[in-house]
Amino acid sequence: MDNLNYHHLRYFREVAHDGNLTRTAARVNLSQSALSTQIKQLEARLGHDLFQRVGRKLELTEVGRIVLDHADRIFGTGAELLATLDASSMVKPPLRVGALSTLSRNFQMRFLAPLLADGGVDLVLKSGSAAVLFTALKSLALDVVLTTEPPQAGGDFTAHRLAEQVVALHGTPNRLRHASLKEALQNEPLIVPTDNAIRIAFDSLVAKLGVTPRILADVDDMAMVRLLARANAGLAVAPTVVLADEIASGRIATAPFDLQITEAFFAVTIRRSFPHPLLAPLLEANV
């Protein structure tokens, strides 16, 4: 619909949200008949009725609800555009955050905590593979990507190192009554994330110890690692942050053995002339 009249669409949106033609006409400084004509012209262009009268009230038809949904997004995007380009604007566009699908939810919450406490901005949260997220970041569909896999050198990406977590063995206390790391790895079923850095280091560890562990589950989601450990399915090989709540409550304990494995967490951004105004303070609060 390359000749859709957006003035008509805006007037329709105003009436749809007000639910009253007379009230809307007074607010937008149009006569009721002029406003009604604008909406009728939009209905003619779309080929569908947008309202139906029920008693003395105007109610949206099914097509009307569809059109309103699109209108809200169209004009919402316009408002975001103005806010993005106007650094002095009090209205802030949503902060679009991507996170590796395997990333600890606890870590994500810690990163977002300053924004959640302030409550001054809307968030759009996306998860996916590193390739998908970095493509979205490059196309400016995301403002920042949280990951344990920083992009390869080159390009306009910047990887901000936020934290480094010790990777340890975690489980219910009854599974941790072993005298050595080798004994624990030989006798307990293990829950191991498929995260490349952790898995490579873990495979190197068991080879060095001469152990053939029983891998109960290879898991590509840290939330599932957490759930399996809580269910006493086995010992989890994971960064401490993944099970922070369970460790604090005493439900899960950490084995007193040094795996000599760590995992780094990054916030990746891309060079932009108009970055989100809250991104730099958020990064400073987390570094």
Side-chain angles (χ1 to χ4, degrees), residues 12-91:
F12 156 75
R13 179 172 179 256
E14 297 292 338
V15 174
H17 283 298
D18 271 347
N20 184 287
L21 193 66
T22 302
R23 185 167 56 241
T24 304
R27 184 165 56 80
V28 300
N29 198 28
L30 280 179
S31 69
Q32 184 172 333
S33 61
L35 183 57
S36 179
T37 298
Q38 300 274 347
I39 292 173
K40 288 184 182 300
Q41 289 175 340
L42 178 61
E43 289 177 326
R45 178 64 188 86
L46 298 176
H48 296 276
D49 290 337
L50 301 176
F51 292 103
Q52 58 188 357
R53 187 167 290 280
V54 179
R56 301 180 63 181
K57 294 182 179 180
L58 283 179
E59 292 189 358
L60 289 168
T61 63
E62 180 182 352
V63 172
R65 289 193 295 271
I66 293 171
V67 174
L68 179 60
D69 177 63
H70 284 271
D72 282 340
R73 283 187 278 137
I74 288 168
F75 292 112
T77 299
E80 288 176 23
L81 170 63
L82 294 176
T84 297
L85 298 180
D86 183 3
S88 65
S89 173
M90 297 300 291
V91 178

Side-chain angles (χ1 to χ4, degrees), residues 63-247:
V63 172
R65 289 193 295 271
I66 293 171
V67 174
L68 179 60
D69 177 63
H70 284 271
D72 282 340
R73 283 187 278 137
I74 288 168
F75 292 112
T77 299
E80 288 176 23
L81 170 63
L82 294 176
T84 297
L85 298 180
D86 183 3
S88 65
S89 173
M90 297 300 291
V91 178
K92 304 302 180 188
L95 181 68
R96 295 176 169 84
V97 180
L100 199 66
S101 56
T102 59
L103 197 66
S104 162
R105 303 305 190 263
N106 281 346
F107 172 74
Q108 295 178 50
M109 290 299 293
R110 288 186 185 183
F111 178 80
L112 297 172
L115 289 181
L116 298 175
D118 179 67
V121 66
D122 293 335
L123 295 171
V124 177
L125 306 177
K126 302 287 186 181
S127 64
S129 67
V132 168
L133 294 175
F134 291 145
T135 297
L137 183 63
K138 192 170 184 178
S139 70
L140 308 187
L142 291 173
D143 297 301
V144 61
V145 170
L146 303 179
T147 181
T148 56
E149 303 176 16
Q152 295 181 350
D156 293 327
F157 292 123
T158 301
H160 309 264
R161 193 183 186 96
L162 301 182
E164 186 171 273
Q165 283 279 326
V166 172
V167 176
L169 281 179
H170 309 282
T172 53
N174 66 299
R175 289 193 179 276
L176 295 174
R177 297 169 183 170
H178 297 284
S180 67
L181 173 60
K182 184 173 182 177
E183 183 180 315
L185 294 176
Q186 282 177 326
N187 292 281
E188 297 291 342
L190 300 175
I191 305 154
V192 184
T194 56
D195 177 282
N196 285 340
I198 294 178
R199 191 54 189 265
I200 290 171
F202 175 76
D203 289 344
S204 175
L205 171 66
V206 295
K208 180 179 179 181
L209 292 174
V211 174
T212 302
R214 180 161 72 90
I215 306 297
L216 173 77
D218 285 297
V219 187
D220 66 357
D221 184 346
M222 285 296 184
M224 184 55 69
V225 170
R226 178 184 182 187
L227 290 175
L228 288 171
R230 286 174 54 179
N232 196 26
L235 293 180
V237 180
T240 303
V241 68
V242 173
L243 293 138
D245 296 339
E246 289 77 11
I247 293 170

